[in-house]
Amino acid sequence: MATAAKVNAMVGNKTWFGGLFTGSGKKRQVHAEKNFEMTPLQEQRMQKLKDRLNIPFDETRPDHLTSLKALWKNSFPDTELTSLVSEQWKDMGWQGPNPATDFRGCGFVSLENLLFFARRYPASFQKLLLKTQGMRATWEYPFATAGVNVSHMLIQLLELNSARPKTLPGINFVRMLSEHEDVFDILYCIAFEMMDAQWLAMRASYMQFNDVLEATKAQLERELSLEDLLRIQDLPAYNLLLK
């Protein structure tokens, strides 16, 4: 029973999403330039990204189910998925046999982020999925559910639910949109790598995941506040990614 209690505290989707960053006194506001204005290209790409954030995962949409199947195929290419609702999903780190339950915390974009990671940086993805690097904890973080939380963290850090960014990380993100339309998805991959590195550095276990994610958010905020940040490749943590 003690083990079950730990798991629930760690990955319960209601408590995990509801209390992760709200009311946090640790959040530092890095104030933006008051005269910052987006270019038409930046406006267009930002709106396209915001539209993605408003799409819930829908089990009745064939394209959503196709993406879910593709995620499994890219994760475990040598293992056939027996059903879209299957205990096999727990091997990827979902809470139960139906990943749709976990997507409710962040929507379809969190599936898109994971699938992008698996396809663009397969070496990094497999390393984190299979936990092949470093001294791992007895109670590891669940990979897939952690990925949904990374998506959620990025949306908050970049102020994507606001009309315009008010902090330097958000402004620099908009600037990078001019160079890379898929910068949000690449930044997601970087953030996931940073989170795992923090996990190992802190020698963390289940109950410390929120602390690890908060530390990751603070580190990413610092890197996104660097001057003259125009390309995603300018981030120091970009070098963590392996293809």
Side-chain angles (χ1 to χ4, degrees):
M1 294 297 291
T3 300
K6 279 189 176 183
V7 173
N8 290 337
M10 172 63 185
V11 300
N13 56 345
K14 292 183 180 179
T15 56
W16 219 11
F17 285 105
L20 194 51
F21 296 113
T22 54
S24 172
K26 299 178 183 178
K27 183 175 180 181
R28 302 185 312 282
Q29 291 293 332
V30 183
H31 291 288
E33 304 161 24
K34 292 182 179 179
N35 61 348
F36 172 74
E37 296 292 339
M38 285 188 271
T39 67
L41 178 62
Q42 290 168 347
E43 289 269 12
Q44 178 187 20
R45 290 181 172 178
M46 181 64 87
Q47 188 57 54
K48 185 177 179 180
L49 175 57
K50 289 183 176 183
D51 289 343
R52 289 173 61 192
L53 304 184
N54 292 324
I55 301 173
F57 180 79
D58 187 347
E59 294 177 84
T60 68
R61 286 185 56 165
D63 57 330
H64 286 201
L65 298 182
T66 297
S67 293
L68 189 56
K69 293 175 185 176
L71 177 61
W72 177 269
K73 184 65 174 176
N74 281 270
S75 300
F76 304 108
D78 298 324
T79 303
E80 182 180 355
L81 181 65
T82 58
S83 172
L84 282 175
V85 178
S86 168
E87 293 294 320
Q88 289 175 283
W89 286 111
K90 294 181 182 180
D91 295 336
M92 195 185 296
W94 299 107
Q95 296 184 70
N98 187 359
T101 303
D102 294 331
F103 288 132
R104 290 171 190 160
C106 204
F108 183 57
V109 70
S110 53
L111 172 55
E112 290 183 306
N113 287 156
L114 281 167
L115 187 54
F116 179 93
F117 193 8
R119 287 171 167 168
R120 177 70 70 92
Y121 304 104
S124 279
F125 182 86
Q126 288 292 325
K127 180 189 70 175
L128 301 188
L129 170 65
L130 303 177
K131 310 283 200 307
T132 59
Q133 186 178 70
M135 294 288 293
R136 314 306 305 199
T138 302
W139 299 103
E140 276 289 319
Y141 66 84
F143 172 80
T145 316
V148 176
N149 278 264
V150 171
S151 297
H152 186 255
M153 178 267 286
L154 271 183
I155 292 168
Q156 289 198 323
L157 175 60
L158 301 175
E159 306 169 276
L160 295 181
N161 289 320
S162 302
R164 66 186 301 275
K166 296 181 176 62
T167 62
L168 193 52
I171 283 183
N172 280 336
F173 172 75
V174 171
R175 286 173 174 156
M176 288 189 290
L177 274 176
S178 297
E179 298 289 329
H180 314 274
E181 186 173 8
D182 54 1
V183 66
F184 178 75
D185 298 274
I186 298 174
L187 191 58
Y188 168 86
C189 302
I190 294 172
F192 210 141
E193 278 278 16
M194 292 172 70
M195 185 276 294
D196 189 76
Q198 286 281 0
W199 175 270
L200 292 173
M202 294 170 64
R203 297 182 180 181
S205 190
Y206 262 65
M207 298 298 290
Q208 296 169 286
F209 181 84
N210 285 356
D211 294 332
V212 172
L213 197 60
E214 190 69 39
T216 303
K217 184 185 179 188
Q219 181 185 353
L220 188 57
E221 182 181 56
R222 287 192 294 272
E223 293 203 9
L224 286 169
S225 299
L226 295 173
E227 294 182 3
D228 302 321
L229 191 64
L230 298 176
R231 306 180 310 146
I232 190 71
Q233 291 92 336
D234 295 333
L235 282 177
Y238 179 81
N239 294 323
L240 291 171
L241 294 173
L242 302 171
K243 289 189 175 181

